[in-house]
Amino acid sequence: MPQLSINVDHVATVRQARGVKEPDPVTAAAIAELAGADGIVVHLREDRRHIQDRDVKILKQTVKTKLNLEMAATSEMQQIALEIRPQMVTLVPERRQELTTEGGLDVGLHKETLKPFIETLRAEGIAVSLFINPDLEQVKASHWVGADFVEIHTGIFSDAETLEKREMEFERILDAVKLASKLGLGVNAGHGLDYRNISWFRGIKEIEEFSIGHSVVARAVLVGFERAVREMVYLVRSL
Ligand code: PXP
């Protein structure tokens, strides 16, 4: 049975929009765990646009399942990871202007720098995953640089506007998943997965874990909206 890790970055985005203390991604992480999530994911970006250093530090102390820290392969982030020691680091590419992580890492291009970067983290007992496009060359390069896991980018599949494109991309995902597993890499998958497209992944035993954020937070906002309004209506009516 695959596992589910919940990404709580969007909760921090709402908090940062006001520069206040709530909603706290740490609280959201605790609720996710109470609801059965197998892990918590946060992306500490270089620009700190949502998750803050304080969040990652507290999460390491409070998360009872496992903490997966997404980050760019920079020396600043490596230092933070070595201090905080999450159970897993997922290396992602980062461009300042992007709305979210847009593509996978080009592992082949950066393999000479990634190899020692990964070794340093692994030597401290931190498992390393690489977020890659479903591309066989990227899978092979991930194996070469000594990653423990790959996270296959499902964003193009999720965004596909026609069934034909979606099926084509899904085939690429399947091929990448099979090769990664054959090479002995653990396999995670994520980006853009939602309450509808998750059913495509039924029975793919090689995928150990799905990492999902946006669709869950988006649903929480709408599913919880009526109750939240009712509670405020009650308070205003009681004035
Ligand atoms: N995996 C990675 C590497 C990501 O960067 C993200 C987005 O932060 C996700 C998974 C989750 O994607 P989504 O928010 O679309 O579910």
Side-chain angles (χ1 to χ4, degrees):
M1 196 176 43
Q3 297 202 327
L4 171 64
S5 271
I6 296 292
N7 179 315
V8 294
D9 292 351
H10 278 9
V11 178
T13 299
V14 176
R15 176 190 61 189
Q16 296 311 111
R18 272 292 166 95
V20 289
K21 287 189 178 171
E22 61 179 15
D24 193 330
V26 175
T27 312
I31 295 171
E33 286 190 319
L34 287 173
D38 301 294
I40 300 299
V41 188
V42 287
H43 182 177
L44 184 66
R45 295 184 67 104
E46 191 193 351
D47 61 13
R48 307 297 198 273
R49 76 170 64 146
H50 40 54
I51 292 294
Q52 306 296 306
D53 299 60
R54 162 264 183 212
D55 301 329
V56 190
K57 278 189 196 132
I58 299 177
L59 282 168
K60 178 61 202 322
Q61 293 168 26
T62 57
V63 164
K64 292 168 193 65
T65 51
K66 54 191 195 288
L67 179 63
N68 183 343
L69 174 62
E70 286 181 15
M71 60 181 220
T74 63
S75 48
E76 183 208 4
M77 287 300 156
Q78 188 181 51
Q79 206 47 48
I80 292 172
L82 290 172
E83 273 164 34
I84 293 179
R85 306 172 74 87
Q87 280 77 11
M88 182 178 280
V89 156
T90 298
L91 298 178
V92 300
E94 225 177 82
R95 268 171 289 144
R96 273 169 197 266
Q97 300 312 318
E98 68 188 4
L99 288 176
T100 177
T101 314
E102 282 165 6
L105 266 183
D106 192 341
V107 184
L109 187 66
H110 301 289
K111 64 181 187 187
E112 299 299 340
T113 45
L114 280 172
K115 200 170 198 296
F117 191 94
I118 292 168
E119 267 164 21
T120 304
L121 293 169
R122 293 192 72 238
E124 293 299 317
I126 303 168
V128 179
S129 178
L130 303 179
F131 183 55
I132 57 168
N133 287 335
D135 176 324
L136 300 184
E137 293 311 312
Q138 295 295 341
V139 174
K140 287 182 205 157
S142 301
H143 179 246
W144 189 88
V145 296
D148 299 283
F149 274 75
V150 286
E151 180 179 329
I152 303 294
H153 191 336
T154 52
I156 300 171
F157 157 83
S158 301
D159 293 343
E161 279 166 11
T162 64
L163 182 61
E164 196 190 351
K165 280 191 188 151
R166 184 166 284 211
E167 282 173 344
M168 258 173 55
E169 189 60 19
F170 192 68
E171 285 305 315
R172 294 184 54 195
I173 292 173
L174 280 183
D175 290 345
V177 165
K178 302 261 181 235
L179 178 63
S181 174
K182 206 170 129 196
L183 292 174
L185 291 159
V187 185
N188 295 336
H191 213 286
L193 297 177
D194 64 25
Y195 292 79
R196 292 188 177 82
N197 63 27
I198 192 67
S199 63
W200 284 61
F201 292 85
R202 182 168 296 128
I204 305 174
K205 296 196 172 47
E206 293 86 351
I207 300 182
E208 293 187 29
E209 185 166 284
F210 295 96
S211 171
I212 305 184
H214 178 86
S215 62
V216 171
V217 177
R219 192 173 181 91
V221 170
L222 295 185
V223 168
F225 209 67
E226 182 180 344
R227 175 169 160 192
V229 171
R230 281 187 193 287
E231 287 172 2
M232 187 54 83
V233 165
Y234 174 80
L235 290 174
V236 170
R237 297 266 192 276
S238 329
L239 290 175

